[in-house]
Amino acid sequence: MNLKAKFDAVIVKPLEEQEETYGSIIVPDAGKDKNMHGEVVAVGPGKHTVTGEFLSTTTTVGEIVILPTMGFTKLEHKGDEYFIGPEQSILAQVIEENE
């Protein structure tokens, strides 16, 4: 990938979601709005406030995050799908607990 995020933008590659099955029947999730899970692949350095203070981004590459159903721009680049949007629109970070 040769995409570079600017300002406070975050580029996220969506994770493959498992289709729900009941026995051998696959249940399509058409019509359901779901929040997207994805892996952060690029993060911009941050942005300046109106007072001139620089706010650096806190998201890091490799984090698994949850995106809102709307607000991120879908981008296809070299056959891969990505979502790009502002860092403050990310809903949550998924933290895996080691058991």
Side-chain angles (χ1 to χ4, degrees):
M1 180 192 79
N2 56 353
L3 295 173
K4 180 180 178 182
K6 303 296 271 180
F7 303 105
D8 66 336
V10 177
I11 302 174
V12 177
K13 184 170 180 76
L15 296 176
E16 295 293 322
E17 296 203 16
Q18 300 281 336
E19 290 183 318
E20 234 179 282
T21 59
Y22 291 100
S24 61
I25 300 171
I26 298 174
V27 179
D29 58 349
K32 295 181 187 173
D33 278 342
K34 287 182 154 184
N35 292 327
M36 173 90 47
H37 285 69
E39 180 179 356
V40 177
V41 295
V43 180
K47 66 177 184 178
H48 286 89
T49 65
V50 291
T51 60
E53 180 184 358
F54 185 75
L55 298 176
S56 59
T57 52
T58 58
T59 305
T60 58
V61 171
E63 287 182 2
I64 304 299
V65 295
I66 301 173
L67 303 179
T69 55
M70 297 179 72
F72 271 65
T73 301
K74 184 177 179 178
L75 167 74
E76 294 213 14
H77 179 71
K78 294 188 176 183
D80 290 324
E81 184 178 281
Y82 300 95
F83 288 91
I84 301 174
E87 180 188 39
Q88 68 265 20
S89 293
I90 293 175
L91 298 175
Q93 175 187 359
V94 177
I95 299 173
E96 298 287 332
E97 291 186 24
N98 296 330
E99 296 182 283

